[in-house]
Amino acid sequence: MSGPKIAPARLELGTSGAPARPQSWIGHHNVAPDWSAVPQQTVIEIVAKGCLEDPERPAIIIENGPVMARREFLDRCQRFAGYLSDKVKPGDRVVMMLDNRLEFMIALFGIIANRATMVSIAPSAMQYDAGHIVTDAAPTVAIVGKPQLPIIEAVRGNAPALAHIVVVDGEEPDGLAAYESAAEPLDFTTAQCQREDIVTVYYTSGTTGAPKGCMLHHGWWLRVIDVDLRLFRRGWQDRQLCCLPFYYADPAIQLLTSLASRGTLVAMRRFSVSRFWEVVTTYDATEILSIASIPALLMKGEPGPAERDHRIRLAIHAGLPKELHREMLERYGFHWHNQYGSTEGGVMSRVPDHLADKLVGTGTMGVEPPGVTIRLVDDDDKDVPAGEAGECLVGGPDLYAGYLNRPEVTAEANRGGWYHSGDVARRDERGLLYFVGRKKEIIRRSGENISAAEVEGVLRSHPQVIDAAVLPVPDELRGEEVKAYIQIKPGEAVTPEAVIDFCRANLAAFKIPRFIEFRATDFERTPSMRVHKQGLLKEKSDLRQGAFDRETGKIGT
């Protein structure tokens, strides 16, 4: 493998305009220098080095499935890469629509080694949403599971360049066996990848408009892995539990951090409250990565001995519910570190490990890792003082490479040389960040700003509530009112009045939902397991219909 051992200087966002960092702000302790955890220049170098140096150690363990050693994993990756070598050229895009099977990771690295780009599609996508991605990405190859083949065939007309469809079929891990044996392997140690190659495209589920393809290059992946390993050291004894779908970026990050630190990835087929702790104990996991509602859902499950009979020493979560934090620590016996990140920005802040005890239940997202800067600004991009809420502008090396086919959207998001996240946060006098909400999900009621995320957090802390989503309802008098969609635990009976009383004890009066609608089934969810709020908005033209109105005491018709 060729290339310099030290990362070259790179164009980065956030090189000007930020105020000086006050000396009173806290930071992360004992963090090794940049690129000390990942000196490699490409993702493929990490895969090759990690597999060749420790060939017999498991790379991936699939729940109720195969255990694959690094030697075999590298061999299969190289063989599938060889199959693709005459079917893609640098810059070509390959759409992948596949469930949590080991072949997903084999195909991913086979694509990257050929300097092509993996475009992720949720395996549950239907003709409309899959069709949008296929049309926008213009792939030359599609890799799909047999259940997803009819969808790709149905939208194939949208992609005239799509020349090859690879179908993953049969027993795992042999779903690609017919292709792996069709050509000479591509040796990963001599792969010609470049650090600027676009490795992956993930379509973001924005609050408005069609999803945009977020382009990530090798540098983005290397930076995320390097930061993660420097903030929390891992070794051969560590097993990271993946309970997320493979078509999201996090599982591949977990696999690469495992390969770079001699650890192992343990992957669930899909997240399940009833199976979660059984998987943790059966496969001896030591670390958890979770997002969205996962902690709240786990806390609704029945307690059992497996919750304390484990080797977990850390959980990292994006958007930790502060109302449950103390109870989670006491129930499970390990720290959950809140983290803030995005597809565009990677890891943007995390609770410092040395302050984990002191910050339990505060709701803070921590502070930026070394190399990352977050500014909080008003609508004119002017910095706001400590304690005031503002939009998060992110700067640092190796952020995303832009949005596919959307140069004008990219330019707008990066105006002034800073990535405009659309997230609103505040910062205290110590420099700790606190999430307020999405800029487009702030409800404006009678001149007061209400964070949908804050109200949702309170509702999720109700013992009978599984999950909740909060949306604005137009109102002639107050501008907007708060509506809460609430999913109740099966067999439980909760009245709207009881929910309102609970909110009164936990929220300012103006934040209490006026409209409440109960749901008997789970919400439609985005790829990141968040509630798909655009779907809720499309359910009815008048969101007051079928909802309890706190002011009238009746169900709207």
Side-chain angles (χ1 to χ4, degrees), residues 27-34 36 226-227 229-233 369-370:
H28 296 272
H29 283 187
N30 301 318
V31 180
D34 284 0
S36 56
D226 183 70
V227 166
L229 288 175
R230 290 187 297 122
L231 290 181
F232 190 78
R233 293 177 176 84

PDB file of all heavy atoms in Angstrom, residues 27-34 36 226-227 229-233 369-370:
ATOM      1  N   GLY A  27     -12.671  20.462  27.822  1.00  0.00           N
ATOM      2  CA  GLY A  27     -12.343  19.704  26.621  1.00  0.00           C
ATOM      3  C   GLY A  27     -12.197  18.232  26.948  1.00  0.00           C
ATOM      4  O   GLY A  27     -12.418  17.801  28.084  1.00  0.00           O
ATOM      5  N   HIS A  28     -11.826  17.458  25.965  1.00  0.00           N
ATOM      6  CA  HIS A  28     -11.582  16.034  26.152  1.00  0.00           C
ATOM      7  C   HIS A  28     -10.154  15.839  26.671  1.00  0.00           C
ATOM      8  O   HIS A  28      -9.227  16.507  26.210  1.00  0.00           O
ATOM      9  CB  HIS A  28     -11.772  15.280  24.840  1.00  0.00           C
ATOM     10  CG  HIS A  28     -13.175  15.333  24.316  1.00  0.00           C
ATOM     11  ND1 HIS A  28     -14.138  14.420  24.686  1.00  0.00           N
ATOM     12  CD2 HIS A  28     -13.788  16.215  23.466  1.00  0.00           C
ATOM     13  CE1 HIS A  28     -15.279  14.725  24.075  1.00  0.00           C
ATOM     14  NE2 HIS A  28     -15.097  15.803  23.333  1.00  0.00           N
ATOM     15  N   HIS A  29      -9.988  14.936  27.624  1.00  0.00           N
ATOM     16  CA  HIS A  29      -8.683  14.696  28.226  1.00  0.00           C
ATOM     17  C   HIS A  29      -7.975  13.500  27.583  1.00  0.00           C
ATOM     18  O   HIS A  29      -8.624  12.560  27.115  1.00  0.00           O
ATOM     19  CB  HIS A  29      -8.834  14.427  29.729  1.00  0.00           C
ATOM     20  CG  HIS A  29      -9.077  15.672  30.522  1.00  0.00           C
ATOM     21  ND1 HIS A  29      -9.096  15.694  31.903  1.00  0.00           N
ATOM     22  CD2 HIS A  29      -9.318  16.954  30.139  1.00  0.00           C
ATOM     23  CE1 HIS A  29      -9.344  16.922  32.322  1.00  0.00           C
ATOM     24  NE2 HIS A  29      -9.487  17.699  31.277  1.00  0.00           N
ATOM     25  N   ASN A  30      -6.660  13.555  27.587  1.00  0.00           N
ATOM     26  CA  ASN A  30      -5.820  12.428  27.182  1.00  0.00           C
ATOM     27  C   ASN A  30      -6.152  11.921  25.776  1.00  0.00           C
ATOM     28  O   ASN A  30      -6.259  10.711  25.536  1.00  0.00           O
ATOM     29  CB  ASN A  30      -5.951  11.278  28.191  1.00  0.00           C
ATOM     30  CG  ASN A  30      -5.543  11.692  29.584  1.00  0.00           C
ATOM     31  OD1 ASN A  30      -4.548  12.385  29.767  1.00  0.00           O
ATOM     32  ND2 ASN A  30      -6.330  11.263  30.573  1.00  0.00           N
ATOM     33  N   VAL A  31      -6.341  12.848  24.858  1.00  0.00           N
ATOM     34  CA  VAL A  31      -6.629  12.483  23.473  1.00  0.00           C
ATOM     35  C   VAL A  31      -5.318  12.483  22.688  1.00  0.00           C
ATOM     36  O   VAL A  31      -4.585  13.477  22.683  1.00  0.00           O
ATOM     37  CB  VAL A  31      -7.630  13.457  22.835  1.00  0.00           C
ATOM     38  CG1 VAL A  31      -7.911  13.055  21.392  1.00  0.00           C
ATOM     39  CG2 VAL A  31      -8.922  13.486  23.643  1.00  0.00           C
ATOM     40  N   ALA A  32      -5.032  11.376  22.028  1.00  0.00           N
ATOM     41  CA  ALA A  32      -3.788  11.253  21.250  1.00  0.00           C
ATOM     42  C   ALA A  32      -3.808  12.205  20.056  1.00  0.00           C
ATOM     43  O   ALA A  32      -4.871  12.699  19.650  1.00  0.00           O
ATOM     44  CB  ALA A  32      -3.618   9.812  20.785  1.00  0.00           C
ATOM     45  N   PRO A  33      -2.668  12.474  19.439  1.00  0.00           N
ATOM     46  CA  PRO A  33      -2.601  13.416  18.306  1.00  0.00           C
ATOM     47  C   PRO A  33      -3.426  12.950  17.109  1.00  0.00           C
ATOM     48  O   PRO A  33      -3.708  11.760  16.936  1.00  0.00           O
ATOM     49  CB  PRO A  33      -1.108  13.432  17.963  1.00  0.00           C
ATOM     50  CG  PRO A  33      -0.424  12.969  19.201  1.00  0.00           C
ATOM     51  CD  PRO A  33      -1.349  11.994  19.848  1.00  0.00           C
ATOM     52  N   ASP A  34      -3.795  13.917  16.282  1.00  0.00           N
ATOM     53  CA  ASP A  34      -4.538  13.621  15.055  1.00  0.00           C
ATOM     54  C   ASP A  34      -3.831  12.534  14.245  1.00  0.00           C
ATOM     55  O   ASP A  34      -2.605  12.531  14.115  1.00  0.00           O
ATOM     56  CB  ASP A  34      -4.640  14.869  14.184  1.00  0.00           C
ATOM     57  CG  ASP A  34      -5.671  15.859  14.691  1.00  0.00           C
ATOM     58  OD1 ASP A  34      -6.295  15.573  15.725  1.00  0.00           O
ATOM     59  OD2 ASP A  34      -5.839  16.911  14.053  1.00  0.00           O
ATOM     60  N   SER A  36      -3.208   9.571  14.783  1.00  0.00           N
ATOM     61  CA  SER A  36      -2.403   8.554  15.454  1.00  0.00           C
ATOM     62  C   SER A  36      -3.114   7.206  15.496  1.00  0.00           C
ATOM     63  O   SER A  36      -2.471   6.158  15.524  1.00  0.00           O
ATOM     64  CB  SER A  36      -2.064   9.005  16.877  1.00  0.00           C
ATOM     65  OG  SER A  36      -3.234   9.301  17.620  1.00  0.00           O
ATOM     66  N   ASP A 226     -10.755   7.849  13.162  1.00  0.00           N
ATOM     67  CA  ASP A 226      -9.630   8.329  13.953  1.00  0.00           C
ATOM     68  C   ASP A 226     -10.106   9.052  15.216  1.00  0.00           C
ATOM     69  O   ASP A 226      -9.597   8.807  16.315  1.00  0.00           O
ATOM     70  CB  ASP A 226      -8.766   9.258  13.100  1.00  0.00           C
ATOM     71  CG  ASP A 226      -7.525   9.747  13.819  1.00  0.00           C
ATOM     72  OD1 ASP A 226      -6.615   8.918  14.037  1.00  0.00           O
ATOM     73  OD2 ASP A 226      -7.464  10.937  14.163  1.00  0.00           O
ATOM     74  N   VAL A 227     -11.080   9.937  15.069  1.00  0.00           N
ATOM     75  CA  VAL A 227     -11.616  10.667  16.229  1.00  0.00           C
ATOM     76  C   VAL A 227     -12.227   9.707  17.231  1.00  0.00           C
ATOM     77  O   VAL A 227     -11.982   9.798  18.448  1.00  0.00           O
ATOM     78  CB  VAL A 227     -12.650  11.717  15.772  1.00  0.00           C
ATOM     79  CG1 VAL A 227     -13.454  12.237  16.955  1.00  0.00           C
ATOM     80  CG2 VAL A 227     -11.963  12.873  15.063  1.00  0.00           C
ATOM     81  N   LEU A 229     -11.669   6.517  17.790  1.00  0.00           N
ATOM     82  CA  LEU A 229     -10.675   5.688  18.477  1.00  0.00           C
ATOM     83  C   LEU A 229      -9.790   6.505  19.414  1.00  0.00           C
ATOM     84  O   LEU A 229      -9.277   5.973  20.410  1.00  0.00           O
ATOM     85  CB  LEU A 229      -9.811   4.950  17.460  1.00  0.00           C
ATOM     86  CG  LEU A 229     -10.507   3.812  16.706  1.00  0.00           C
ATOM     87  CD1 LEU A 229      -9.589   3.239  15.633  1.00  0.00           C
ATOM     88  CD2 LEU A 229     -10.953   2.712  17.655  1.00  0.00           C
ATOM     89  N   ARG A 230      -9.596   7.769  19.135  1.00  0.00           N
ATOM     90  CA  ARG A 230      -8.794   8.602  20.033  1.00  0.00           C
ATOM     91  C   ARG A 230      -9.598   9.068  21.244  1.00  0.00           C
ATOM     92  O   ARG A 230      -9.029   9.280  22.314  1.00  0.00           O
ATOM     93  CB  ARG A 230      -8.222   9.800  19.272  1.00  0.00           C
ATOM     94  CG  ARG A 230      -7.132   9.382  18.276  1.00  0.00           C
ATOM     95  CD  ARG A 230      -6.434  10.568  17.649  1.00  0.00           C
ATOM     96  NE  ARG A 230      -7.320  11.389  16.861  1.00  0.00           N
ATOM     97  CZ  ARG A 230      -7.533  12.686  17.073  1.00  0.00           C
ATOM     98  NH1 ARG A 230      -6.938  13.310  18.067  1.00  0.00           N
ATOM     99  NH2 ARG A 230      -8.335  13.373  16.295  1.00  0.00           N
ATOM    100  N   LEU A 231     -10.914   9.236  21.083  1.00  0.00           N
ATOM    101  CA  LEU A 231     -11.745   9.622  22.226  1.00  0.00           C
ATOM    102  C   LEU A 231     -12.010   8.456  23.163  1.00  0.00           C
ATOM    103  O   LEU A 231     -12.173   8.646  24.377  1.00  0.00           O
ATOM    104  CB  LEU A 231     -13.088  10.178  21.732  1.00  0.00           C
ATOM    105  CG  LEU A 231     -13.062  11.530  21.029  1.00  0.00           C
ATOM    106  CD1 LEU A 231     -14.468  11.938  20.632  1.00  0.00           C
ATOM    107  CD2 LEU A 231     -12.421  12.606  21.899  1.00  0.00           C
ATOM    108  N   PHE A 232     -12.061   7.248  22.614  1.00  0.00           N
ATOM    109  CA  PHE A 232     -12.312   6.066  23.450  1.00  0.00           C
ATOM    110  C   PHE A 232     -11.489   4.909  22.906  1.00  0.00           C
ATOM    111  O   PHE A 232     -11.787   4.363  21.847  1.00  0.00           O
ATOM    112  CB  PHE A 232     -13.806   5.709  23.457  1.00  0.00           C
ATOM    113  CG  PHE A 232     -14.151   4.673  24.484  1.00  0.00           C
ATOM    114  CD1 PHE A 232     -14.279   5.015  25.827  1.00  0.00           C
ATOM    115  CD2 PHE A 232     -14.334   3.349  24.118  1.00  0.00           C
ATOM    116  CE1 PHE A 232     -14.589   4.054  26.779  1.00  0.00           C
ATOM    117  CE2 PHE A 232     -14.644   2.387  25.064  1.00  0.00           C
ATOM    118  CZ  PHE A 232     -14.774   2.740  26.404  1.00  0.00           C
ATOM    119  N   ARG A 233     -10.444   4.548  23.626  1.00  0.00           N
ATOM    120  CA  ARG A 233      -9.513   3.522  23.151  1.00  0.00           C
ATOM    121  C   ARG A 233     -10.147   2.133  23.226  1.00  0.00           C
ATOM    122  O   ARG A 233     -10.825   1.802  24.184  1.00  0.00           O
ATOM    123  CB  ARG A 233      -8.225   3.571  23.966  1.00  0.00           C
ATOM    124  CG  ARG A 233      -7.405   4.835  23.747  1.00  0.00           C
ATOM    125  CD  ARG A 233      -6.176   4.876  24.631  1.00  0.00           C
ATOM    126  NE  ARG A 233      -5.336   6.031  24.355  1.00  0.00           N
ATOM    127  CZ  ARG A 233      -5.536   7.235  24.875  1.00  0.00           C
ATOM    128  NH1 ARG A 233      -6.554   7.445  25.708  1.00  0.00           N
ATOM    129  NH2 ARG A 233      -4.735   8.247  24.574  1.00  0.00           N
ATOM    130  N   PRO A 369     -14.836  17.352  19.532  1.00  0.00           N
ATOM    131  CA  PRO A 369     -13.539  16.657  19.591  1.00  0.00           C
ATOM    132  C   PRO A 369     -12.461  17.545  18.983  1.00  0.00           C
ATOM    133  O   PRO A 369     -12.774  18.525  18.283  1.00  0.00           O
ATOM    134  CB  PRO A 369     -13.775  15.409  18.743  1.00  0.00           C
ATOM    135  CG  PRO A 369     -14.831  15.811  17.770  1.00  0.00           C
ATOM    136  CD  PRO A 369     -15.718  16.776  18.503  1.00  0.00           C
ATOM    137  N   PRO A 370     -11.204  17.245  19.221  1.00  0.00           N
ATOM    138  CA  PRO A 370     -10.132  18.050  18.623  1.00  0.00           C
ATOM    139  C   PRO A 370     -10.280  18.138  17.108  1.00  0.00           C
ATOM    140  O   PRO A 370     -10.560  17.156  16.427  1.00  0.00           O
ATOM    141  CB  PRO A 370      -8.867  17.271  19.002  1.00  0.00           C
ATOM    142  CG  PRO A 370      -9.231  16.540  20.251  1.00  0.00           C
ATOM    143  CD  PRO A 370     -10.674  16.171  20.086  1.00  0.00           C
TER     144      PRO A 370
END
